[in-house]
Amino acid sequence: MTLHQRPSLQAVPAYKQGKPAAAGASKLSSNESPHEPLPSVLDAIRDGIQSIHRYPSIAAPQVTAELAALHSVDPAHLTLGAGSVEVAAQLIHAVAAEGDEVMYAWRSFEAYPSLVRIAGATPVEVPLDADAKHDLDAMLAAVTEKTRLIFICNPNNPTGTVVEAEALERFIAAVPRDVLIVIDEAYVHFDRSAVRADGVELFKKNPNVAVLHTFSKAYGLAGLRIGYAISPLEVAENLRKVAIPFGVSDLAQRAAVASLQAADELAVRINEVVAQRERMYAGLAAAGYPVVASEANFVWIAAGDATADIEARLEAGGVVARAFPGEGLRISSGSELDVDRVLAALGADSAAVAAAEGAIA
């Protein structure tokens, strides 16, 4: 006898984690921080180990207070989850029902379509424009009476492009007020452009805007799983209803507070990641690769049919990247050595070749 299962899940692929790397190789497939945790973060985690037999606080008062002060928002607008991807799932469950539509650009964060289908809603994918950016005009044209939520990934994963402030403001003004617009800013700390829209400020000015942030990237807490949303009060109330109880561990909360209190130290590390991203982009561009200027902690090579060949060359050079078959590769910005290996593997920098070969040997 076959057990009854939910038929719609046949259309939902399991989320694929970035490929692991062999010992000594550079794992640049998951946009992780190349830096080890800050000493103050490790101290905060050690202080909490003795109490792991207790449930964490669902309200997460210390994290919430720090975030409310950082963003100058009422704590009631803040909700947490096990990474921003879990909070994205909360938003979909809180806003969209079966048959409702959730829109996003494509290609964008690969979890969006699965999260939408799992919630029973209908995904609406709008292709990026020729510059690998959100096509806001096409997205606006795709809005229907069934549209309930629109994700704007800014900077976009995996292309690293940003949505300009004026363009996004016009888009928000044109979208019906009963549609929630979620600005996913997982990579906002790495943005050095002068044009990207500020999600938190847009939240403050518009009644139908929410913002997603994560501690996984810039803060280097990917292994502890903590992210948050800033959303309208009625949305925040429903997010608390659909959230997994005790989904954010006490250790994650302690680490987040310590990270927020170490902003200056983290800023140095973030700047190092940005510098290596720029070096990788410049080297690949000079070598003729179809790279896209990025404001995230990775570089996108729009390789198309050459994707598999480039992935193989990277792996032969001791680098694991995230390949999207037939489309391109996303290479995370790692340490100086990591980027040396990327450039060496792809023949993009003669000076890096010698350094990388010596390190790999």
Side-chain angles (χ1 to χ4, degrees):
M1 181 177 67
T2 302
L3 292 172
H4 289 290
Q5 299 189 62
R6 184 174 157 191
S8 61
L9 291 182
Q10 294 181 3
V12 179
Y15 182 84
K16 293 184 178 180
Q17 187 175 5
K19 292 175 64 174
S26 295
K27 183 176 182 290
L28 303 180
S29 57
S30 298
N31 298 339
E32 298 156 327
S33 171
H35 300 99
E36 294 182 351
L38 290 169
S40 59
V41 172
L42 290 176
D43 288 343
I45 293 172
R46 292 189 188 99
D47 290 343
I49 289 177
Q50 296 301 319
S51 61
I52 60 172
H53 61 300
R54 303 293 186 187
Y55 284 111
S57 168
I58 291 179
Q62 289 183 289
V63 184
T64 300
E66 292 280 348
L67 291 173
L70 175 66
H71 297 296
S72 299
V73 299
D74 189 310
H77 290 286
L78 285 156
T79 53
L80 277 69
S84 61
V85 63
E86 201 260 316
V87 185
Q90 293 176 15
L91 284 161
I92 297 168
H93 283 281
V95 173
E98 186 172 352
D100 290 338
E101 296 176 349
V102 176
M103 185 190 304
Y104 46 86
W106 197 252
R107 175 169 290 275
S108 191
F109 181 35
E110 59 264 35
Y112 290 157
S114 294
L115 296 178
V116 175
R117 290 189 173 97
I118 290 169
T122 302
V124 177
E125 300 179 349
V126 179
L128 298 171
D129 66 17
D131 296 318
K133 296 182 178 181
H134 283 62
D135 189 337
L136 296 182
D137 290 338
M139 294 181 76
L140 187 59
V143 173
T144 73
E145 60 181 14
K146 294 183 179 180
T147 305
R148 296 292 177 268
L149 187 152
I150 301 172
F151 281 106
I152 303 291
C153 191
N154 198 30
N156 186 50
N157 174 17
T159 61
T161 54
V162 298
V163 179
E164 297 182 1
E166 292 184 5
L168 187 51
E169 288 175 1
R170 290 194 301 270
F171 177 79
I172 292 172
V175 170
R177 287 307 209 199
D178 61 350
V179 175
L180 182 66
I181 300 169
V182 178
I183 304 174
D184 186 344
E185 293 188 331
Y187 299 94
V188 67
H189 298 85
F190 307 101
D191 180 18
R192 295 296 180 269
S193 72
V195 299
R196 181 193 54 82
D198 185 320
V200 176
E201 291 304 311
L202 289 172
F203 155 78
K204 293 176 181 179
K205 295 190 293 185
N206 297 278
N208 62 329
V209 169
V211 185
L212 278 177
H213 282 187
T214 183
F215 283 91
S216 296
K217 311 304 180 186
Y219 293 99
L221 302 183
L224 286 176
R225 312 309 302 131
I226 177 168
Y228 62 96
I230 306 173
S231 62
L233 289 177
E234 61 271 30
V235 175
E237 290 172 1
N238 281 330
L239 292 182
R240 296 185 184 96
K241 294 177 183 178
V242 300
I244 299 172
F246 309 109
V248 180
S249 72
D250 179 66
L251 298 183
Q253 294 179 36
R254 289 171 180 268
V257 171
S259 296
L260 291 167
Q261 294 174 349
D264 291 343
E265 290 178 273
L266 283 167
V268 174
R269 294 181 166 199
I270 294 168
N271 286 337
E272 290 175 1
V273 172
V274 170
Q276 294 305 319
R277 177 197 73 198
E278 292 299 291
R279 190 166 73 90
M280 179 163 55
Y281 170 79
L284 294 174
Y289 287 92
V291 288
V292 176
S294 172
E295 294 297 339
N297 67 337
F298 52 81
V299 169
W300 172 252
I301 304 179
D305 293 339
T307 297
D309 175 65
I310 294 176
E311 180 184 25
R313 291 168 62 191
L314 285 168
E315 291 188 356
V319 177
V320 177
R322 186 65 177 262
F324 299 83
E327 297 180 63
L329 302 98
R330 187 193 67 198
I331 310 174
S332 304
S333 174
S335 65
E336 182 177 2
L337 171 60
D338 293 329
V339 174
D340 282 348
R341 286 178 171 175
V342 171
L343 298 177
L346 299 183
D349 184 293
S350 57
V353 171
E357 288 179 343
I360 295 171

